Amino acid sequence: AVVVDPKKPVIKNGAFSFNAEEPHYVVMWLDKVDPVFISEARNAFNRYNREKSAVEPLEIVRDTLDKDRTLLVFRQFGNAAAAYKYNERVRRDALVEISWLPANKYSFFIISQANLDILKENKDFAGYVTLLSKALPTIQ
């Protein structure tokens, strides 16, 4: 069920809730990728951010969802709109920046710290994606 408060637009889906005004991260989700390539991807995006990004320096932290799925967390952005803008650019540029990694091995999305904590615990990526599909039209 979607719940929206007009004074503070929060959208909920199961355990997850989306508040566009909270700080957000951009996450690169890597599925069954060798740790060497994960480190190389992190290095490539650190270089990308130094050379091409106008945003303040971003920290890229490696995290693990389970034995097959690794997360590179680009942190942090002041709100969902800023994270989404960067997410769209880095997703597009990834085809060049990490051309050696097949595009079907990774994806990008935005998430708040609270939702990341929940995702790491419940592993309900489908539930989070459903929340994002409801929330993104509100910030675009």
Side-chain angles (χ1 to χ4, degrees), residues 44-45 52 90-100 106:
F45 285 113
K52 299 181 181 172
V90 76
R91 183 178 55 80
R92 181 188 62 243
D93 292 348
L95 296 172
V96 172
E97 299 298 323
I98 54 171
S99 59
W100 40 265
Y106 63 88

Side-chain angles (χ1 to χ4, degrees), residues 45-116:
F45 285 113
N46 275 324
R47 197 169 35 256
Y48 170 83
N49 287 331
R50 275 193 313 272
E51 295 172 1
K52 299 181 181 172
S53 184
V55 295
E56 291 183 26
L58 292 172
E59 180 181 23
I60 304 174
V61 178
R62 182 179 172 166
D63 207 339
T64 304
L65 199 58
D66 57 34
K67 69 179 185 69
D68 290 329
R69 299 176 292 182
T70 301
L71 309 174
L72 290 180
V73 182
F74 297 64
R75 59 186 192 189
Q76 104 176 350
F77 299 87
N79 58 37
Y84 182 77
K85 182 178 177 183
Y86 177 84
N87 180 78
E88 290 303 289
R89 191 181 55 189
V90 76
R91 183 178 55 80
R92 181 188 62 243
D93 292 348
L95 296 172
V96 172
E97 299 298 323
I98 54 171
S99 59
W100 40 265
L101 186 62
N104 66 345
K105 297 301 246 173
Y106 63 88
S107 60
F108 291 91
F109 60 93
I110 66 170
I111 196 165
S112 66
Q113 180 65 57
N115 284 330
L116 180 58

Side-chain angles (χ1 to χ4, degrees), residues 15-17 22-23 25 111-120:
F16 301 107
S17 63
E22 290 179 342
Y25 306 141
I111 196 165
S112 66
Q113 180 65 57
N115 284 330
L116 180 58
D117 292 341
I118 293 167
L119 179 64
K120 287 169 49 179

